[in-house]
Amino acid sequence: MSPNPLDIQSLVSDLRSTLTSTVLTPDSPGYTERIVRWSKTIPNNADIAATVVGCRKYGVPFAVASGRHTTSDASSCEDGLIIDLHLLNIVSVDPDARTITAAGGCIWRDVDEAAAQHGLATVGGTVNDRRRHGLIIDNLLSVKMVLADGSLVTASKQSLPDLFWAVRGAGQAFGVAVEFTFRAHEQRNPVWAGKLLFPLDKVELVFKFANDLMGTSDGDSAVMINISTSPRANGELAIAVAVFHNGSSESAQSIFQPLLDANPLVREVAERPYSQLNGMMNPTFRDRKRSVDKGAAYTIPLRPEFVRDVLAPEIRRLHSQIPASEETMILLEFYPTNKWSEIPVEATAHGHRGNFQNIMIAPRWKYAEHDAIAKQWALNVAGLVVKEREEYGPPIEEPITEYGNYDHLSARPRGVYGMNLERLVEVKKVYDPDNVFNKWYPLLKE
Ligand SMILES: Cc1cc2nc3c(=O)[nH]c(=O)nc-3n(C[C@H](O)[C@H](O)[C@H](O)COP(=O)(O)OP(=O)(O)OC[C@H]3O[C@@H](n4cnc5c(N)ncnc54)[C@H](O)[C@@H]3O)c2cc1C
């Protein structure tokens, strides 16, 4: 139900009289650029708390937004207010303690660049990050949050451990994270990384290499494979391999020789600072079309026949059904799993740890009239990945969950949090019993 317009007016007037941040409404200059969100003045914790409390008082829905990268609607709000943290992007590094403290609106570029100035790095998203050090949440030491009642708390293993357990996997459901402190790792050497492009007929060679790499990599080498059309392959479907090695060109070449010798159509690999790594794929994602991401988990070895005979024809089928969908991608991670699998699934709320990999099914298209077809296509392809895993993958006893960050088509919470769901619901009842933070995976019934 939409909130009463008079309540919205009262809320805006309350906020304007109390906050140091600027509140934009449809009649404000600059509104259309950023919709209703903070502007010019950096939001502070007191402003954020006052906004959460004000929204509750007047029954106005709100969403929290940082990078606004999700293709779900979890950081948007049509009839209410957006707490936009993008100006909250200060990073400080303590080189002696080896910690990085990042404000809640930072993007990984802010963090990577600040850490690199001290020869440090932490684990971040995108491309082939540091599987040697586990998941991002395994490197989180503490987080400061504004909770549903407006209080500001710090959660860590020592302080509010139940909240700290919950936010490592379901942070968006518990409050506004205003500051993260991460463990940092020494990263003085450059890394070897880049892109190799192959025609689709090299599918056996490429996937044999990637499968084998998962058996031999010690955590310093990984690939991400993108099946998509490429102008460098005359607009045909091709295999783009993002390669990563935490070491020199020489050591990388001995590992990646089978790919380097396979006559790639494009060979753009080089040593570069680690801090440039997460930006390497930015050009691929720059042209923002209509898009939605859907994840699924697969097991190693992945049969090349599945890619050639199922995934590639599925992409072609979408091209024939929807105009302007040539930039559709299917991304397959080949990341060593041993480090994150050392930690028991129940140690954090994140339910997706184990010896399996993620695929991201990412239709890209142009016209709203094709939204439903594209979404259904993504769901169907995810179903085919699961079928392949069940028919050809090694037997795995535990139920395999989905990676919540890749699921923007509303998987059920059980499918994301698995065996952790019951405990997560109990912690939610303690910290947000009225379900104020209700975006993304629903933990409490409305
Ligand atoms: C091109 C592309 C590449 C991607 N690559 C990766 C990858 O390599 N690894 C990976 O894990 N994921 C990846 N993702 C998925 C991405 O991590 C998720 O979409 C993630 O939610 C984006 O974070 P954001 O800050 O941009 O979120 P937003 O879109 O701003 O928000 C997403 C959700 O988080 C909540 N939220 C955001 N900030 C806060 C905060 N400070 N406090 C509380 N809640 C908050 C929002 O309310 C919302 O519910 C990728 C997505 C895309 C589109």
Side-chain angles (χ1 to χ4, degrees):
M1 198 175 68
S2 298
N4 183 332
L6 287 177
D7 285 339
I8 295 186
Q9 270 177 27
S10 305
L11 171 65
V12 168
S13 127
D14 273 11
L15 294 179
R16 284 195 170 135
S17 66
T18 52
L19 306 192
T20 55
S21 307
T22 308
V23 179
L24 300 184
T25 52
D27 50 357
S28 311
Y31 169 81
T32 44
E33 287 151 29
R34 295 209 64 83
I35 318 294
V36 183
R37 52 190 63 207
W38 309 93
S39 169
K40 295 197 179 95
T41 316
I42 296 175
N44 58 50
N45 298 343
D47 285 357
I48 293 168
T51 306
V52 170
V53 171
C55 285
R56 294 190 68 178
K57 178 176 164 193
Y58 292 106
V60 173
F62 69 91
V64 181
S66 289
R68 293 176 297 153
H69 224 209
T70 182
T71 57
S72 71
D73 57 2
S75 51
S76 316
C77 187
E78 264 187 31
D79 297 320
L81 189 137
I82 292 173
I83 300 177
D84 183 343
L85 302 174
H86 85 286
L87 292 177
L88 199 66
N89 57 4
I90 291 168
V91 183
S92 62
V93 180
D94 183 336
D96 298 325
R98 292 226 174 149
T99 57
I100 301 167
T101 298
C106 285
I107 58 173
W108 284 110
R109 185 178 57 218
D110 304 323
V111 177
D112 292 338
E113 289 177 357
Q117 288 175 16
H118 301 274
L120 296 171
T122 192
V123 179
T126 309
V127 203
N128 312 298
D129 44 29
R130 301 163 61 96
R131 298 304 150 187
R132 182 169 278 284
H133 301 294
L135 302 175
I136 297 168
I137 52 169
D138 302 335
N139 290 272
L140 183 66
L141 298 172
S142 66
V143 56
K144 265 191 201 158
M145 297 190 79
V146 172
L147 300 181
D149 62 2
S151 59
L152 177 69
V153 299
T154 299
S156 69
K157 280 192 177 152
Q158 294 74 35
S159 159
L160 305 177
D162 55 343
L163 180 63
F164 191 54
W165 175 87
V167 299
R168 286 176 295 159
Q172 80 286 347
F174 285 86
V176 185
V178 292
E179 193 180 281
F180 303 91
T181 299
F182 297 102
R183 184 182 300 118
H185 306 278
E186 188 160 313
Q187 185 65 50
R188 295 198 183 275
N189 61 286
V191 298
W192 180 88
K195 174 176 162 180
L196 301 168
L197 185 77
F198 296 96
L200 200 56
D201 61 18
K202 294 270 171 69
V203 69
E204 272 88 6
L205 181 142
V206 171
F207 279 84
K208 177 176 184 327
F209 173 83
N211 285 324
D212 290 349
L213 184 67
M214 292 304 93
T216 54
S217 174
D218 55 3
D220 276 337
S221 304
V223 295
M224 181 198 261
I225 300 180
N226 177 12
I227 313 294
S228 183
T229 59
S230 170
R232 310 281 281 274
N234 299 321
E236 298 291 322
L237 278 185
I239 310 169
V241 187
V243 294
F244 168 78
H245 175 67
N246 186 13
S248 66
S249 280
E250 289 71 36
S251 60
Q253 273 165 19
S254 66
I255 295 166
F256 287 87
Q257 205 64 51
L259 290 186
L260 298 169
D261 285 349
N263 202 17
L265 298 169
V266 172
R267 178 186 168 130
E268 290 165 359
V269 284
E271 282 186 14
R272 55 187 93 221
Y274 177 80
S275 56
Q276 285 180 8
L277 192 68
N278 284 345
M280 256 173 34
M281 283 178 81
N282 289 1
T284 314
F285 295 110
R286 191 145 283 147
D287 186 15
R288 294 182 185 188
K289 295 198 156 178
R290 303 185 81 77
S291 55
V292 72
D293 296 334
K294 169 74 195 154
Y298 69 95
T299 43
I300 301 291
L302 185 72
R303 295 184 316 132
E305 295 87 335
F306 175 64
V307 179
R308 187 190 60 213
D309 301 338
V310 179
L311 295 184
E314 278 297 325
I315 298 177
R316 290 197 189 99
R317 188 167 69 82
L318 187 75
H319 292 168
S320 67
Q321 280 185 326
I322 300 188
S325 60
E326 302 78 28
E327 288 169 33
T328 292
M329 292 178 270
I330 295 187
L331 293 147
L332 299 112
E333 296 176 351
F334 284 81
Y335 293 164
T337 59
N338 36 339
K339 188 70 190 176
W340 70 60
S341 302
E342 281 170 10
I343 295 176
V345 181
E346 61 275 21
T348 63
H350 176 70
H352 190 64
R353 286 179 198 272
N355 194 14
F356 37 78
Q357 302 286 335
N358 292 314
I359 190 167
M360 188 198 261
I361 301 144
R364 304 282 185 258
W365 69 103
K366 200 165 175 187
Y367 305 107
E369 68 206 72
H370 300 123
D371 288 4
I373 302 176
K375 288 178 183 177
Q376 191 54 52
W377 177 82
L379 287 167
N380 288 348
V381 177
L384 293 171
V385 174
V386 173
K387 187 164 171 271
E388 169 74 11
R389 182 180 86 211
E390 289 172 351
E391 280 181 17
Y392 294 99
I396 293 192
E397 280 179 17
E398 321 78 63
I400 299 184
T401 46
E402 298 188 32
Y403 180 37
N405 246 356
Y406 283 3
D407 188 90
H408 299 173
L409 282 174
S410 306
R412 281 166 308 155
R414 171 72 67 198
V416 173
Y417 297 112
M419 61 172 6
N420 291 325
L421 183 61
E422 280 74 19
R423 182 174 172 197
L424 195 52
V425 169
E426 290 310 308
V427 184
K428 173 84 172 168
K429 285 181 191 162
V430 173
Y431 288 94
D432 184 16
D434 296 330
N435 205 14
V436 175
F437 295 95
N438 53 21
K439 295 289 184 176
W440 231 345
Y441 302 104
L443 297 179
L444 298 180
K445 295 208 167 40
E446 292 293 326

